[in-house]
Amino acid sequence: MGEKIIWTNGCFDVLHRGHIEMFKYAKSLGTKLYVGIDSDAKVKLEKGNSRPINNIQDRKFILESIKYIDKVFVFDSKEGLEDRIETILPDVMVIGSDWKGKEVVGEQYANKLIFFDRIEGYSTTKILEWETKYDN
């Protein structure tokens, strides 16, 4: 029996308990958890000029410090993400349930796709909205 590789990816700009619960769950499915993260340029392109809050070096450092994560990969584009997933050929991809019904990049290279339901009350968008509302 070899390694069972699990893959997830995202921006992971402002980490919260929901992210950690997803990493914990994903790691429980296999022996290695690989995480892909968007570069600063990709985050800015997709989420606007005010993002990311934390730069790529800090986001990567924090993710690498989480005990459930075995390796972190940075990507600049959809094609870069797909190439990485094709190279790794994960046994399972764990993706947030907000992606149900949408294109999941690289899903054809995984043996199984699992959607992880959001943890009630935890959302980067809500955290940032709260910060903006109460920071003034």
Side-chain angles (χ1 to χ4, degrees):
M1 299 260 315
E3 293 180 335
K4 186 172 183 183
I5 298 173
I6 313 303
W7 174 271
T8 193
N9 59 269
C11 171
F12 304 117
D13 187 11
V14 177
L15 285 181
H16 52 71
R17 183 177 180 160
H19 292 128
I20 302 302
E21 294 286 356
M22 183 182 72
F23 298 143
K24 181 180 177 182
Y25 169 74
K27 179 64 180 235
S28 76
L29 300 173
T31 55
K32 297 286 183 186
L33 174 58
Y34 294 163
V35 176
I37 56 172
D38 298 338
S39 68
D40 290 347
K42 189 169 185 305
V43 173
K44 199 169 288 302
L45 183 67
E46 292 181 1
K47 299 190 180 276
N49 285 332
S50 64
R51 301 282 300 274
I53 303 299
N54 294 295
N55 68 41
I56 190 63
Q57 293 85 6
D58 291 345
R59 290 184 289 130
K60 188 172 189 280
F61 175 81
I62 291 166
L63 289 172
E64 289 172 338
S65 300
I66 296 171
K67 69 180 181 178
Y68 305 111
I69 298 173
D70 295 289
K71 190 152 178 75
V72 177
F73 300 91
V74 178
F75 55 93
D76 292 310
S77 65
K78 177 181 169 182
E79 296 78 22
L81 171 60
E82 187 164 346
D83 289 347
R84 177 61 65 184
I85 296 169
E86 182 180 15
T87 300
I88 290 172
L89 296 173
D91 295 286
V92 179
M93 285 182 74
V94 176
I95 303 297
S97 60
D98 51 324
W99 283 92
K100 282 183 182 176
K102 300 177 186 173
E103 176 195 11
V104 176
V105 175
E107 70 178 296
Q108 69 272 29
Y109 301 114
N111 292 331
K112 185 175 187 178
L113 176 64
I114 295 175
F115 291 102
F116 183 82
D117 289 330
R118 288 182 175 265
I119 305 295
E120 182 78 28
Y122 293 96
S123 159
T124 299
T125 301
K126 286 182 182 176
I127 290 169
L128 295 177
E129 287 172 355
W130 186 87
E131 276 291 315
T132 302
K133 181 177 177 181
Y134 292 100
D135 199 29
N136 296 323

